[in-house]
């Protein structure tokens, strides 16, 4: 799972004017000081939260997605959680292409 998480983090950081911070023991990827991805990456655990103003309802139809806690879900934030080895392309592995699309949507929603 760690390799998938690192790939997604690198993708998020590839957008202009992004930075990585670590509040509350999590990874937060920001654009000009505003968070557009929260991530927690472990060897057998990956979770991320993104703002999805356009595809939120579609995202919430996925069994691995739920509204983000702390009141963020009401503002369009969605969290995705995965357990296991996380090898892309394997049954049960995170859908990397979909998650990259969600990260891009979140970036575009947050970027000034």
């Amino acid at each position: 799972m760690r390799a998938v998480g690192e790939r997604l983090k690198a993708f998020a950081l590839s957008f202009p004017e992004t930075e990585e911070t670590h509040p509350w023991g999590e990874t937060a990827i920001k654009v000009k000081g505003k968070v557009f991805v929260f991530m927690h990456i472990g060897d057998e655990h990956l979770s991320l939260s993104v703002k999805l103003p356009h595809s939120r309802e579609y995202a919430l139809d996925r069994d691995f997605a739920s509204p983000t806690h702390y009141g963020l879900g009401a503002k369009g934030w969605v969290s995705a959680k995965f357990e296991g080895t996380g090898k892309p392309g394997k049954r049960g592995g995170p859908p990397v292409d979909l998650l990259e699309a969600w990260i891009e949507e979140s970036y575009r929603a947050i970027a000034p």
Side-chain angles (χ1 to χ4, degrees), residues 6-85:
E6 293 297 331
R7 174 179 167 178
L8 292 171
K9 181 170 69 171
F11 178 77
L13 289 167
S14 72
F15 292 100
E17 301 185 64
T18 58
E19 66 175 330
E20 177 179 351
T21 64
H22 298 278
W24 317 292
E26 300 288 324
T27 296
I29 310 295
K30 299 178 179 183
V31 55
K32 289 198 169 188
K34 295 182 179 184
V35 176
F36 70 98
V37 180
F38 289 104
M39 300 181 80
H40 181 77
I41 303 168
D43 290 335
E44 294 192 16
H45 173 83
L46 171 65
S47 63
L48 62 95
S49 297
V50 290
K51 185 168 185 166
L52 301 176
H54 305 293
S55 63
R56 180 179 187 272
E57 295 306 316
Y58 167 77
L60 292 175
D61 283 341
R62 304 295 185 142
D63 61 352
F64 53 79
S66 62
T68 302
H69 297 290
Y70 312 111
L72 292 173
K75 296 178 181 174
W77 284 79
V78 173
S79 293
K81 296 181 181 181
F82 304 93
E83 302 286 338
T85 61

